Amino acid sequence: MMLYKEPAPIKDRENPFESMMSRFNIAAEVLGLDEETYNVLKSPARQVIVNVPVTMDDGKVRVFEGYRVVHSTILGPSKGGIRYAPDVFLDEVKALAAWMTWKCAVVDIPYGGAKGGIICDPYSMSAGEIERLTRAYTSSLVDIFGPDRDIPAPDMGTGPREMAWLMDEYSKTKGSTEHGVVTGKPLVLGGSLGRVEATGRGVMVSAMAAMEKLGMDPAKSTAAVQGFGNVGSWAAKLMAERGVKILGVSDVSGAYWNDNGIDIEEAIEYKNGNNGRLEGYKGAEQIDPAELLTSKVDVLVPAAVEDVITIHNVDKIQARLIVEGANGPTSYKADNIINEKGIMVVPDILANSGGVTVSYFEWVQNRMGFKWTLDRVNERAERIMNESFERVYAASQKYNVPMRIAAYIVAIDKVAMTYKYRGGF
Ligand code: NAD
């Protein structure tokens, strides 16, 4: 049996790509990955930077920088969301693309990994500006995207509306309706039932599976959820439905706490009527957002952005279980301390893989020209999440490593094996 080794320190500044690579390196070593395969898997297959001119509402043309990184197509067409954010940067998109490769491998679906991003602030743009930006970005990447090549999806700052514009723009350039070029579409446009809540549902399913392993009773447990967008709000709602008391939630406007448990349905309703933000929510008292992560709860669900659990706050974390709804919320350096503290982490590439799983179902339905019922979607997604959890848990026992490294081991092993069968390039 190979024992988990303490990761070697990396340089002070942590960036998501380095964080990803550090875990990849540990898993590759445990697996004894050969050098050729290591080199293939560590490098993104393709990185595209586009600069797209968009006419703004005031009549002026502004140029936006966008990215699409295809990390791997070894398992199949690449898959991954598009992020609209003012601070999105290439190394972040590279890390997110690689995580998509590992995520698809962990849940055993036939996709490679990709990710896109545009430097913009969607909250300060009009719908018309966002539509023109989305169409311009799509048309500049029309040779990358494709139902059999690279299939985008929503991520932070994007949703069904943007996916509809992307699908329409792509279809126009191809001269045919191409539902399968993108997932996370509105239902009327070939979207799948259950896709909107799929990531949050998967977070809940993995939280329940982990709580069972730890002997925790959901009905006697408390949680805090950082991020109250698609993933965070659904995860909070579905965990609350399983009896978990959600004491704290937060979004970009602040953090909110209620010792008696927050009424999640009410908070969602408030947010929906308040431009997507919790600002001014009266069902809880406002607390320092930094305190949310270190508050006294049993389960912590980071579901917002990267690098929020770091060496600066990890010492103070009190939760027994961290379920990573967001991609890359824990910095690499914090891993050691989390492991020393005996906290179980359901890592991002497992915990939030419910989204890509139902995206895959959406793509399958588009290609069949058929619609599944919500029950069928949820039942199949839940089965995949539970099987994947067990696969990763078994690897963590077998190699005596934390769940995060185990998930990378499962993923890298699958992609490496497929690469060998395909005979390299
Ligand atoms: P979203 O845009 O719907 O919501 C993001 C939420 O995070 C918002 O409530 C926002 O206010 C909040 N937020 C932003 N910065 C914050 C900060 N510094 N502190 C606290 N809250 C902050 O995005 P989403 O789709 O829910 O994605 C959240 C995370 O989950 C991202 O890391 C994303 O990559 C990951 N993810 C999303 C999906 C999906 O299907 N949407 C799938 C897998 C992973």
Side-chain angles (χ1 to χ4, degrees), residues 42-90:
K42 82 173 180 27
S43 324
R46 197 185 262 207
Q47 302 176 54
V48 185
I49 302 176
V50 294
N51 284 288
V52 290
V54 176
T55 306
M56 307 303 280
D57 289 348
D58 63 7
K60 293 200 176 109
V61 172
R62 217 179 116 188
V63 179
F64 291 85
E65 183 163 306
Y67 312 101
R68 187 71 183 168
V69 175
V70 174
H71 174 259
S72 169
T73 54
I74 291 170
L75 294 187
S78 50
K79 186 87 189 78
I82 301 173
R83 176 170 295 192
Y84 288 2
D87 52 359
V88 66
F89 61 108
L90 187 57

Short mmCIF file of all heavy atoms in Angstrom, two decimals, residues 42-90:
data_model
loop_
_atom_site.label_atom_id
_atom_site.label_comp_id
_atom_site.label_asym_id
_atom_site.label_seq_id
_atom_site.Cartn_x
_atom_site.Cartn_y
_atom_site.Cartn_z
N LYS A 42 -0.69 16.81 -18.39
CA LYS A 42 -0.52 18.05 -17.64
C LYS A 42 -0.72 19.29 -18.51
O LYS A 42 -0.98 20.37 -18.00
CB LYS A 42 0.85 18.08 -16.96
CG LYS A 42 2.00 18.52 -17.84
CD LYS A 42 3.24 18.66 -16.95
CE LYS A 42 4.50 19.08 -17.56
NZ LYS A 42 4.81 19.78 -18.65
N SER A 43 -0.62 19.14 -19.82
CA SER A 43 -0.66 20.33 -20.67
C SER A 43 -2.01 20.49 -21.35
O SER A 43 -2.51 19.53 -21.94
CB SER A 43 0.41 20.21 -21.77
OG SER A 43 1.55 19.56 -21.27
N PRO A 44 -2.59 21.69 -21.29
CA PRO A 44 -3.84 21.91 -22.03
C PRO A 44 -3.61 21.68 -23.52
O PRO A 44 -2.60 22.15 -24.07
CB PRO A 44 -4.18 23.37 -21.76
CG PRO A 44 -3.28 23.81 -20.66
CD PRO A 44 -2.10 22.90 -20.62
N ALA A 45 -4.54 20.98 -24.18
CA ALA A 45 -4.37 20.68 -25.60
C ALA A 45 -4.41 21.96 -26.45
O ALA A 45 -3.72 22.07 -27.47
CB ALA A 45 -5.46 19.73 -26.06
N ARG A 46 -5.20 22.93 -26.03
CA ARG A 46 -5.41 24.11 -26.85
C ARG A 46 -5.82 25.30 -25.97
O ARG A 46 -6.65 25.13 -25.08
CB ARG A 46 -6.55 23.80 -27.81
CG ARG A 46 -6.70 24.68 -28.99
CD ARG A 46 -7.94 24.26 -29.72
NE ARG A 46 -7.65 23.39 -30.83
CZ ARG A 46 -8.44 23.29 -31.90
NH1 ARG A 46 -9.55 23.98 -31.97
NH2 ARG A 46 -8.14 22.51 -32.89
N GLN A 47 -5.23 26.47 -26.22
CA GLN A 47 -5.64 27.66 -25.47
C GLN A 47 -5.89 28.78 -26.47
O GLN A 47 -4.98 29.16 -27.20
CB GLN A 47 -4.53 28.12 -24.53
CG GLN A 47 -4.08 27.08 -23.53
CD GLN A 47 -2.91 27.57 -22.69
OE1 GLN A 47 -2.98 28.62 -22.08
NE2 GLN A 47 -1.83 26.82 -22.67
N VAL A 48 -7.10 29.30 -26.47
CA VAL A 48 -7.43 30.35 -27.44
C VAL A 48 -7.77 31.63 -26.69
O VAL A 48 -8.55 31.61 -25.73
CB VAL A 48 -8.64 29.93 -28.31
CG1 VAL A 48 -8.91 30.97 -29.39
CG2 VAL A 48 -8.40 28.57 -28.95
N ILE A 49 -7.17 32.74 -27.12
CA ILE A 49 -7.51 34.05 -26.56
C ILE A 49 -8.17 34.84 -27.67
O ILE A 49 -7.62 34.94 -28.78
CB ILE A 49 -6.26 34.80 -26.06
CG1 ILE A 49 -5.53 33.96 -25.01
CG2 ILE A 49 -6.64 36.18 -25.51
CD1 ILE A 49 -4.23 34.58 -24.51
N VAL A 50 -9.36 35.39 -27.41
CA VAL A 50 -10.03 36.20 -28.43
C VAL A 50 -10.26 37.61 -27.88
O VAL A 50 -10.38 37.80 -26.67
CB VAL A 50 -11.39 35.58 -28.84
CG1 VAL A 50 -11.19 34.25 -29.56
CG2 VAL A 50 -12.32 35.38 -27.66
N ASN A 51 -10.29 38.57 -28.78
CA ASN A 51 -10.65 39.93 -28.40
C ASN A 51 -11.86 40.31 -29.23
O ASN A 51 -11.76 40.40 -30.45
CB ASN A 51 -9.48 40.89 -28.65
CG ASN A 51 -8.42 40.72 -27.58
OD1 ASN A 51 -8.61 41.12 -26.44
ND2 ASN A 51 -7.32 40.07 -27.93
N VAL A 52 -13.00 40.48 -28.56
CA VAL A 52 -14.23 40.67 -29.33
C VAL A 52 -14.78 42.09 -29.15
O VAL A 52 -15.03 42.53 -28.03
CB VAL A 52 -15.29 39.60 -28.98
CG1 VAL A 52 -14.88 38.25 -29.51
CG2 VAL A 52 -15.56 39.52 -27.50
N PRO A 53 -14.96 42.80 -30.28
CA PRO A 53 -15.56 44.14 -30.21
C PRO A 53 -17.08 44.05 -30.05
O PRO A 53 -17.72 43.24 -30.71
CB PRO A 53 -15.21 44.76 -31.58
CG PRO A 53 -14.53 43.70 -32.38
CD PRO A 53 -14.63 42.40 -31.66
N VAL A 54 -17.59 44.86 -29.14
CA VAL A 54 -19.04 44.86 -28.88
C VAL A 54 -19.53 46.30 -28.82
O VAL A 54 -18.91 47.15 -28.17
CB VAL A 54 -19.34 44.17 -27.53
CG1 VAL A 54 -20.83 44.24 -27.19
CG2 VAL A 54 -18.88 42.72 -27.54
N THR A 55 -20.63 46.58 -29.53
CA THR A 55 -21.21 47.91 -29.46
C THR A 55 -22.03 48.02 -28.18
O THR A 55 -22.96 47.24 -27.96
CB THR A 55 -22.11 48.18 -30.69
OG1 THR A 55 -21.34 47.93 -31.87
CG2 THR A 55 -22.62 49.61 -30.69
N MET A 56 -21.66 48.97 -27.33
CA MET A 56 -22.35 49.13 -26.06
C MET A 56 -23.59 50.01 -26.26
O MET A 56 -23.78 50.62 -27.33
CB MET A 56 -21.41 49.76 -25.02
CG MET A 56 -20.08 49.02 -24.86
SD MET A 56 -20.27 47.27 -24.42
CE MET A 56 -20.58 47.38 -22.65
N ASP A 57 -24.42 50.08 -25.23
CA ASP A 57 -25.68 50.83 -25.37
C ASP A 57 -25.44 52.31 -25.67
O ASP A 57 -26.29 52.97 -26.28
CB ASP A 57 -26.51 50.71 -24.08
CG ASP A 57 -27.07 49.30 -23.93
OD1 ASP A 57 -27.01 48.52 -24.91
OD2 ASP A 57 -27.57 48.98 -22.83
N ASP A 58 -24.29 52.84 -25.27
CA ASP A 58 -24.03 54.27 -25.55
C ASP A 58 -23.47 54.48 -26.95
O ASP A 58 -23.06 55.60 -27.29
CB ASP A 58 -23.08 54.85 -24.49
CG ASP A 58 -21.70 54.18 -24.51
OD1 ASP A 58 -21.43 53.35 -25.41
OD2 ASP A 58 -20.89 54.48 -23.61
N GLY A 59 -23.42 53.42 -27.74
CA GLY A 59 -22.97 53.55 -29.13
C GLY A 59 -21.47 53.35 -29.32
O GLY A 59 -20.99 53.21 -30.44
N LYS A 60 -20.72 53.31 -28.21
CA LYS A 60 -19.27 53.14 -28.31
C LYS A 60 -18.93 51.65 -28.42
O LYS A 60 -19.62 50.80 -27.84
CB LYS A 60 -18.59 53.72 -27.08
CG LYS A 60 -18.72 55.22 -26.98
CD LYS A 60 -17.64 55.78 -26.04
CE LYS A 60 -17.71 57.29 -26.01
NZ LYS A 60 -18.23 57.84 -24.75
N VAL A 61 -17.82 51.37 -29.11
CA VAL A 61 -17.39 49.98 -29.24
C VAL A 61 -16.35 49.69 -28.16
O VAL A 61 -15.38 50.43 -27.98
CB VAL A 61 -16.81 49.71 -30.64
CG1 VAL A 61 -16.17 48.32 -30.71
CG2 VAL A 61 -17.89 49.85 -31.70
N ARG A 62 -16.59 48.60 -27.43
CA ARG A 62 -15.63 48.17 -26.40
C ARG A 62 -15.11 46.80 -26.78
O ARG A 62 -15.86 45.96 -27.29
CB ARG A 62 -16.36 48.09 -25.05
CG ARG A 62 -15.50 48.54 -23.90
CD ARG A 62 -16.27 48.47 -22.60
NE ARG A 62 -15.62 47.48 -21.74
CZ ARG A 62 -16.12 47.05 -20.61
NH1 ARG A 62 -17.29 47.47 -20.19
NH2 ARG A 62 -15.46 46.17 -19.88
N VAL A 63 -13.81 46.58 -26.53
CA VAL A 63 -13.24 45.28 -26.88
C VAL A 63 -13.06 44.45 -25.61
O VAL A 63 -12.47 44.91 -24.63
CB VAL A 63 -11.87 45.47 -27.60
CG1 VAL A 63 -11.27 44.11 -27.94
CG2 VAL A 63 -12.04 46.31 -28.85
N PHE A 64 -13.61 43.25 -25.62
CA PHE A 64 -13.54 42.35 -24.46
C PHE A 64 -12.58 41.20 -24.75
O PHE A 64 -12.61 40.63 -25.84
CB PHE A 64 -14.92 41.77 -24.15
CG PHE A 64 -15.91 42.76 -23.64
CD1 PHE A 64 -16.65 43.54 -24.52
CD2 PHE A 64 -16.10 42.95 -22.28
CE1 PHE A 64 -17.58 44.47 -24.05
CE2 PHE A 64 -17.01 43.87 -21.80
CZ PHE A 64 -17.76 44.64 -22.68
N GLU A 65 -11.76 40.86 -23.74
CA GLU A 65 -10.87 39.71 -23.90
C GLU A 65 -11.58 38.45 -23.38
O GLU A 65 -12.15 38.46 -22.29
CB GLU A 65 -9.57 39.93 -23.13
CG GLU A 65 -8.57 38.79 -23.31
CD GLU A 65 -7.15 39.19 -22.91
OE1 GLU A 65 -6.63 40.21 -23.43
OE2 GLU A 65 -6.57 38.50 -22.06
N GLY A 66 -11.52 37.39 -24.18
CA GLY A 66 -12.15 36.12 -23.79
C GLY A 66 -11.20 34.96 -24.01
O GLY A 66 -10.20 35.07 -24.73
N TYR A 67 -11.51 33.85 -23.35
CA TYR A 67 -10.66 32.66 -23.43
C TYR A 67 -11.49 31.41 -23.70
O TYR A 67 -12.65 31.32 -23.29
CB TYR A 67 -9.91 32.43 -22.11
CG TYR A 67 -9.24 33.66 -21.56
CD1 TYR A 67 -9.82 34.39 -20.53
CD2 TYR A 67 -8.04 34.11 -22.10
CE1 TYR A 67 -9.21 35.53 -20.02
CE2 TYR A 67 -7.43 35.25 -21.61
CZ TYR A 67 -8.03 35.97 -20.57
OH TYR A 67 -7.43 37.09 -20.09
N ARG A 68 -10.88 30.45 -24.34
CA ARG A 68 -11.42 29.09 -24.35
C ARG A 68 -10.22 28.17 -24.28
O ARG A 68 -9.34 28.21 -25.16
CB ARG A 68 -12.24 28.81 -25.62
CG ARG A 68 -12.95 27.45 -25.59
CD ARG A 68 -14.10 27.41 -24.59
NE ARG A 68 -14.74 26.08 -24.49
CZ ARG A 68 -15.61 25.73 -23.54
NH1 ARG A 68 -15.96 26.58 -22.60
NH2 ARG A 68 -16.14 24.53 -23.52
N VAL A 69 -10.16 27.40 -23.22
CA VAL A 69 -9.06 26.45 -23.05
C VAL A 69 -9.64 25.04 -23.14
O VAL A 69 -10.57 24.69 -22.41
CB VAL A 69 -8.36 26.63 -21.69
CG1 VAL A 69 -7.30 25.55 -21.48
CG2 VAL A 69 -7.73 28.01 -21.59
N VAL A 70 -9.10 24.26 -24.08
CA VAL A 70 -9.47 22.85 -24.18
C VAL A 70 -8.33 22.07 -23.53
O VAL A 70 -7.21 22.07 -24.04
CB VAL A 70 -9.65 22.41 -25.65
CG1 VAL A 70 -9.88 20.91 -25.74
CG2 VAL A 70 -10.83 23.17 -26.28
N HIS A 71 -8.61 21.49 -22.38
CA HIS A 71 -7.53 20.79 -21.68
C HIS A 71 -7.28 19.42 -22.29
O HIS A 71 -6.14 19.03 -22.53
CB HIS A 71 -7.86 20.66 -20.18
CG HIS A 71 -6.85 19.83 -19.45
ND1 HIS A 71 -7.09 18.50 -19.11
CD2 HIS A 71 -5.60 20.10 -19.03
CE1 HIS A 71 -6.02 18.02 -18.50
NE2 HIS A 71 -5.11 18.97 -18.43
N SER A 72 -8.36 18.67 -22.56
CA SER A 72 -8.17 17.31 -23.07
C SER A 72 -9.39 16.85 -23.86
O SER A 72 -10.52 17.19 -23.52
CB SER A 72 -7.93 16.36 -21.90
OG SER A 72 -8.00 15.02 -22.33
N THR A 73 -9.12 16.07 -24.90
CA THR A 73 -10.23 15.43 -25.64
C THR A 73 -10.00 13.91 -25.67
O THR A 73 -10.51 13.23 -26.55
CB THR A 73 -10.33 15.98 -27.08
OG1 THR A 73 -9.05 15.84 -27.70
CG2 THR A 73 -10.76 17.41 -27.12
N ILE A 74 -9.24 13.41 -24.71
CA ILE A 74 -8.92 11.97 -24.72
C ILE A 74 -10.17 11.12 -24.48
O ILE A 74 -10.40 10.13 -25.16
CB ILE A 74 -7.81 11.66 -23.68
CG1 ILE A 74 -6.49 12.28 -24.15
CG2 ILE A 74 -7.65 10.15 -23.49
CD1 ILE A 74 -5.37 12.26 -23.14
N LEU A 75 -11.01 11.54 -23.54
CA LEU A 75 -12.21 10.74 -23.25
C LEU A 75 -13.36 11.02 -24.21
O LEU A 75 -14.32 10.26 -24.28
CB LEU A 75 -12.70 10.99 -21.83
CG LEU A 75 -11.81 10.56 -20.66
CD1 LEU A 75 -12.55 10.74 -19.35
CD2 LEU A 75 -11.36 9.11 -20.80
N GLY A 76 -13.30 12.15 -24.93
CA GLY A 76 -14.40 12.51 -25.82
C GLY A 76 -14.37 14.00 -26.09
O GLY A 76 -13.40 14.68 -25.73
N PRO A 77 -15.45 14.55 -26.67
CA PRO A 77 -15.49 16.00 -26.91
C PRO A 77 -15.29 16.75 -25.60
O PRO A 77 -15.71 16.27 -24.54
CB PRO A 77 -16.90 16.25 -27.46
CG PRO A 77 -17.64 14.98 -27.38
CD PRO A 77 -16.68 13.87 -27.09
N SER A 78 -14.65 17.90 -25.67
CA SER A 78 -14.37 18.61 -24.42
C SER A 78 -15.64 19.33 -23.94
O SER A 78 -16.49 19.72 -24.74
CB SER A 78 -13.24 19.61 -24.61
OG SER A 78 -13.46 20.41 -25.74
N LYS A 79 -15.73 19.48 -22.63
CA LYS A 79 -16.94 20.00 -22.01
C LYS A 79 -16.55 20.95 -20.91
O LYS A 79 -15.64 20.67 -20.14
CB LYS A 79 -17.70 18.81 -21.40
CG LYS A 79 -19.04 19.16 -20.84
CD LYS A 79 -20.11 19.08 -21.91
CE LYS A 79 -21.44 19.63 -21.46
NZ LYS A 79 -21.51 21.10 -21.47
N GLY A 80 -17.24 22.07 -20.81
CA GLY A 80 -16.94 22.98 -19.70
C GLY A 80 -17.63 24.32 -19.86
O GLY A 80 -17.91 24.77 -20.98
N GLY A 81 -17.87 24.95 -18.74
CA GLY A 81 -18.66 26.19 -18.71
C GLY A 81 -17.92 27.42 -19.20
O GLY A 81 -16.72 27.38 -19.53
N ILE A 82 -18.67 28.51 -19.24
CA ILE A 82 -18.11 29.82 -19.61
C ILE A 82 -18.39 30.77 -18.45
O ILE A 82 -19.53 30.89 -18.00
CB ILE A 82 -18.76 30.36 -20.89
CG1 ILE A 82 -18.53 29.38 -22.04
CG2 ILE A 82 -18.19 31.73 -21.24
CD1 ILE A 82 -19.28 29.75 -23.30
N ARG A 83 -17.33 31.44 -17.98
CA ARG A 83 -17.42 32.32 -16.83
C ARG A 83 -17.36 33.77 -17.28
O ARG A 83 -16.43 34.14 -18.02
CB ARG A 83 -16.27 32.00 -15.87
CG ARG A 83 -16.20 32.90 -14.68
CD ARG A 83 -15.20 32.37 -13.67
NE ARG A 83 -15.63 31.08 -13.10
CZ ARG A 83 -15.07 30.51 -12.05
NH1 ARG A 83 -14.04 31.08 -11.45
NH2 ARG A 83 -15.51 29.35 -11.59
N TYR A 84 -18.30 34.58 -16.85
CA TYR A 84 -18.24 36.03 -17.08
C TYR A 84 -17.89 36.67 -15.74
O TYR A 84 -18.69 36.64 -14.81
CB TYR A 84 -19.60 36.58 -17.54
CG TYR A 84 -20.02 36.23 -18.96
CD1 TYR A 84 -19.24 35.42 -19.78
CD2 TYR A 84 -21.20 36.75 -19.50
CE1 TYR A 84 -19.64 35.11 -21.07
CE2 TYR A 84 -21.59 36.45 -20.80
CZ TYR A 84 -20.82 35.62 -21.58
OH TYR A 84 -21.22 35.32 -22.85
N ALA A 85 -16.71 37.26 -15.65
CA ALA A 85 -16.31 37.90 -14.40
C ALA A 85 -15.23 38.94 -14.70
O ALA A 85 -14.44 38.76 -15.62
CB ALA A 85 -15.78 36.86 -13.42
N PRO A 86 -15.18 40.01 -13.89
CA PRO A 86 -14.21 41.07 -14.16
C PRO A 86 -12.77 40.61 -13.95
O PRO A 86 -11.84 41.18 -14.52
CB PRO A 86 -14.56 42.17 -13.15
CG PRO A 86 -15.76 41.72 -12.42
CD PRO A 86 -16.06 40.30 -12.76
N ASP A 87 -12.58 39.59 -13.08
CA ASP A 87 -11.22 39.21 -12.73
C ASP A 87 -10.81 37.84 -13.26
O ASP A 87 -9.85 37.25 -12.80
CB ASP A 87 -11.07 39.25 -11.21
CG ASP A 87 -12.15 38.43 -10.51
OD1 ASP A 87 -13.01 37.87 -11.22
OD2 ASP A 87 -12.15 38.36 -9.26
N VAL A 88 -11.57 37.32 -14.23
CA VAL A 88 -11.21 36.00 -14.77
C VAL A 88 -9.87 36.11 -15.52
O VAL A 88 -9.60 37.12 -16.16
CB VAL A 88 -12.35 35.44 -15.66
CG1 VAL A 88 -12.57 36.25 -16.91
CG2 VAL A 88 -12.11 33.98 -16.02
N PHE A 89 -8.99 35.11 -15.34
CA PHE A 89 -7.69 35.18 -16.00
C PHE A 89 -7.30 33.80 -16.53
O PHE A 89 -7.87 32.78 -16.13
CB PHE A 89 -6.61 35.77 -15.09
CG PHE A 89 -6.35 34.99 -13.82
CD1 PHE A 89 -5.17 34.25 -13.68
CD2 PHE A 89 -7.26 35.00 -12.77
CE1 PHE A 89 -4.93 33.52 -12.51
CE2 PHE A 89 -7.01 34.27 -11.61
CZ PHE A 89 -5.84 33.54 -11.48
N LEU A 90 -6.31 33.82 -17.46
CA LEU A 90 -6.03 32.61 -18.23
C LEU A 90 -5.66 31.41 -17.35
O LEU A 90 -6.14 30.30 -17.58
CB LEU A 90 -4.93 32.89 -19.26
CG LEU A 90 -4.65 31.75 -20.25
CD1 LEU A 90 -5.89 31.34 -21.02
CD2 LEU A 90 -3.54 32.14 -21.22
#
